[in-house]
Amino acid sequence: MYAYVMCPKCKDQFLETDKYDFFDERRCSKCGNRYVLALLGEKSIDDTVYKITFDGSPFLDSNVIKYLIKRLEEYHFDVDDILQKIKNWKEGNVIYEGDTLHTYLLTDILDIPELCYIVTPEFSYKRSMAPHIALCPDCGNETVEKKEKTDDMKGCFNKGRFCEHCNKWTVCFLVSET
């Protein structure tokens, strides 16, 4: 099994790791954030070029378009080019071709119910959600894993990522004691 970490802020490269911990001990030389687990696979990353197409007509309302613009800019994609390809969608049209890193990033953006896509050849890696939850979206500080009893439901806990700076959950799931 191969595992790769990435900087949750810069998101510009994968580094191989032999650990499966949420945070890696290494830090990004550009921003100082700790690398986080991002990708797992049975094979090493190679120079495969992946093509992304839609499986059916994309549902594009103003909220989806705003979301796409924000996320594409965040990940440094050519927003105009990709949006144009999505808006002018025709069956079989490739909306993006790229390496493992950029396919990983774009599939993260496209993983919403309104957009059904296909990656060719099949993307043979599993994405971890770690880069998305490692930093607080409001203040940018690292989040911590937290579990606490909830007052709402007896025998249940809130569990997830918590920003100690903002004193709020960034990702939270309700889990049972059992």
Side-chain angles (χ1 to χ4, degrees), residues 82-96:
I82 292 177
L83 273 182
Q84 192 67 19
K85 288 177 181 175
I86 292 172
K87 287 178 180 178
N88 296 326
W89 176 84
K90 288 183 183 147
E91 191 169 337
N93 283 8
V94 174
I95 62 158
Y96 189 79

Side-chain angles (χ1 to χ4, degrees), residues 8 22-23 36 129-136 141-144 161:
F22 183 80
F23 281 112
V36 293
M129 60 189 263
H132 315 287
I133 63 174
L135 302 178
C136 175
N141 284 335
E142 283 185 3
T143 60
V144 296
R161 304 299 300 180

